[in-house]
Amino acid sequence: MTLPFRKDLDKYKDLDEDEILGKLSEEELKQLETVLDDLDPENALLPAGFRQKDQTAKKASGPFDRERLLAYLEKQALEHKDREDYVPFTREKKGKIFIPKQKPIQSYTEEKFSLDPELEEALTSATDTELGDLAAILGMSNLITNNQFCDVVGSSNGIDKDSFSNIVKGEKMLPVFDEPPNPTNVEETLQRIKDNDSRLVEVNLNNIKNIPIPTLKEFAKALETNTHVKNFSLAATRSNDPVAVALADMLRVNTKLKSLNIESNFITGVGILALVDALKDNETLTEIKIDNQRQQLGTLAEVEIAKMLEENTKILKFGYHFMQQGPRARAAAAITKNNDLVRKRRVEGDN
């Protein structure tokens, strides 16, 4: 089926571009060159001098001289006449002068009160201890010390002075120590993988920042022929797309690896797509973690991941937080379906 807008383009298929260019005059060729140079003037990947054609007609006057340029600009500014005002400035004040309103000053008058003679005589003859007890009873704890308040309240309620809390104290901060470094010996582990050591079942390279990229690619190459390693983890090892491509080549050959963890690395959508393409034919890997990369994978990568999970019925755990709702729902349904298939096989095997 031919699209409508393509019908008008068929007549241009047999045109000879060289013949058309040969018929153009020199002026038309220069105009065409200028148009081609201006096609993408905002391309940030090109240097500023290559984004369009140099249209300067004057010859260079010499090397750049900053002081001479500043002097020239200052001279030009002084020679330029100022624009005349339409209304001359006469220093005449117009309008009313702003006078802030005076806020009324609030005055407070002391109220005079008198006590009964008996009450006034009792307060005058009371000791400091009795006044403290009276203040504690009335709830005026700011007028007495903490010990006096504790003596009054604690003695009546049976509370010991030592167990009486004065202020609310914060909890003691517990120090949080850094995680110990990964004790894995990189060179020794790589050699054991190459030797196909039967005792080496799990390889953990997490958080080892100084592993060179060629060494990580050697790990992937060695796993192609290894038949004993079940779990391979290299989270937070600064792995990038070449490492992901090497791991993809390994997954096409390896038939023993069950779990792969490449979280918290510098792998982009290109490397993830290579892994996804390799997982379409892998029948042994059941768990893979690719979350928390340095940049988002993008919609195209997430759609391909969801498509792969629908085709590969062996993956039971997939560690990645989808940003798009559609691929997220498809991936969740595929993982649920794969786990249901495993549960169904286990029930049929028990029966």
Side-chain angles (χ1 to χ4, degrees):
M1 177 181 178
T2 306
L3 297 177
F5 68 90
R6 291 185 179 274
K7 293 180 179 179
D8 298 334
L9 300 179
D10 294 337
K11 58 183 178 181
Y12 299 110
K13 287 184 178 180
D14 300 329
L15 289 179
D16 189 359
E17 293 84 355
D18 295 333
E19 182 181 355
I20 296 176
L21 292 175
K23 295 179 180 179
L24 296 178
S25 63
E26 185 177 355
E27 184 179 354
E28 291 174 337
L29 288 174
K30 288 184 178 180
Q31 184 180 0
L32 178 62
E33 183 181 356
T34 304
V35 173
L36 292 177
D37 288 341
D38 293 339
L39 283 179
D40 195 8
E42 297 182 358
N43 188 357
L45 299 178
L46 293 176
F50 296 129
R51 294 182 192 175
Q52 62 182 12
K53 185 181 178 181
D54 185 9
Q55 303 177 10
T56 305
K58 295 182 180 180
K59 294 183 179 180
S61 59
F64 175 71
D65 188 350
R66 182 176 182 275
E67 299 298 332
R68 184 179 176 186
L69 176 62
L70 292 176
Y72 173 76
L73 293 175
E74 185 177 358
K75 179 183 176 182
Q76 250 193 350
L78 293 174
E79 292 176 354
H80 183 74
K81 293 182 179 181
D82 294 335
R83 180 177 59 84
E84 295 182 0
D85 295 332
Y86 295 106
V87 179
F89 179 65
T90 58
R91 295 183 179 276
E92 180 184 355
K93 294 184 179 179
K94 297 182 179 181
K96 297 181 180 179
I97 300 176
F98 173 73
I99 301 176
K101 295 182 180 180
Q102 298 291 335
K103 295 183 179 180
I105 301 175
Q106 297 180 356
S107 58
Y108 298 95
T109 57
E110 296 183 358
E111 298 181 0
K112 295 182 179 180
F113 60 93
S114 59
L115 298 175
D116 294 337
E118 296 180 357
L119 202 59
E120 189 173 355
E121 182 181 357
L123 290 175
T124 304
S125 60
T127 61
D128 293 340
T129 305
E130 293 173 344
L131 290 176
D133 296 345
L134 180 61
I137 294 172
L138 295 176
M140 302 177 182
S141 57
N142 56 338
L143 301 178
I144 58 176
T145 63
N146 181 63
N147 291 332
Q148 292 174 336
F149 185 74
C150 178
D151 290 337
V152 176
V153 179
S155 59
S156 60
N157 296 335
I159 302 175
D160 189 11
K161 182 185 294 186
D162 298 333
S163 62
F164 189 82
S165 60
N166 180 17
I167 58 175
V168 178
K169 297 182 179 180
E171 297 181 0
K172 186 177 180 181
M173 295 294 295
L174 298 177
V176 179
F177 300 100
D178 295 335
E179 294 184 2
N182 193 331
T184 304
N185 189 319
V186 178
E187 291 77 9
E188 180 184 351
T189 305
L190 178 58
Q191 189 59 43
R192 292 179 63 186
I193 294 177
K194 291 181 179 179
D195 296 340
N196 202 10
D197 189 351
S198 59
R199 295 173 298 174
L200 185 63
V201 179
E202 180 177 356
V203 177
N204 181 6
L205 304 177
N206 293 347
N207 301 315
I208 304 179
K209 309 289 186 182
N210 57 352
I211 304 178
I213 297 300
T215 304
L216 293 173
K217 295 170 71 174
E218 286 186 27
F219 272 97
K221 188 67 176 178
L223 285 173
E224 292 182 3
T225 57
N226 189 282
T227 58
H228 297 287
V229 175
K230 305 295 183 184
N231 302 324
F232 184 57
S233 180
L234 39 81
T237 55
R238 302 178 184 269
S239 300
N240 53 11
D241 287 342
V243 178
V245 173
L247 291 173
D249 295 337
M250 177 269 296
L251 291 175
R252 291 187 176 92
V253 181
N254 188 291
T255 58
K256 300 296 180 181
L257 192 66
K258 298 292 185 182
S259 175
L260 177 63
N261 183 4
I262 55 173
E263 291 181 329
S264 304
N265 283 304
F266 300 159
I267 301 175
T268 64
V270 177
I272 297 300
L273 286 176
L275 286 171
V276 168
D277 186 60
L279 287 173
K280 292 179 180 179
D281 301 326
N282 188 284
E283 297 291 335
T284 56
L285 196 71
T286 60
E287 179 181 6
I288 181 171
K289 299 179 180 179
I290 62 172
D291 200 12
N292 196 29
Q293 302 301 327
R294 188 162 191 174
Q295 68 182 38
Q296 295 183 4
L297 302 183
T299 305
L300 177 61
E302 292 190 357
V303 171
E304 291 297 325
I305 290 172
K307 183 179 179 182
M308 179 272 298
L309 292 175
E310 291 173 344
E311 296 176 358
N312 190 326
T313 59
K314 301 297 182 180
I315 297 181
L316 306 179
K317 296 180 181 179
F318 189 80
Y320 174 69
H321 178 71
F322 287 86
M323 304 302 295
Q324 302 296 328
Q325 177 64 29
R328 184 191 306 133
R330 290 174 58 186
I335 293 296
T336 303
K337 178 182 177 182
N338 293 349
N339 283 275
D340 289 342
L341 290 175
V342 173
R343 191 179 302 108
K344 183 178 179 180
R345 296 192 195 102
R346 184 171 62 249
V347 172
E348 290 176 354
D350 294 339
N351 295 335

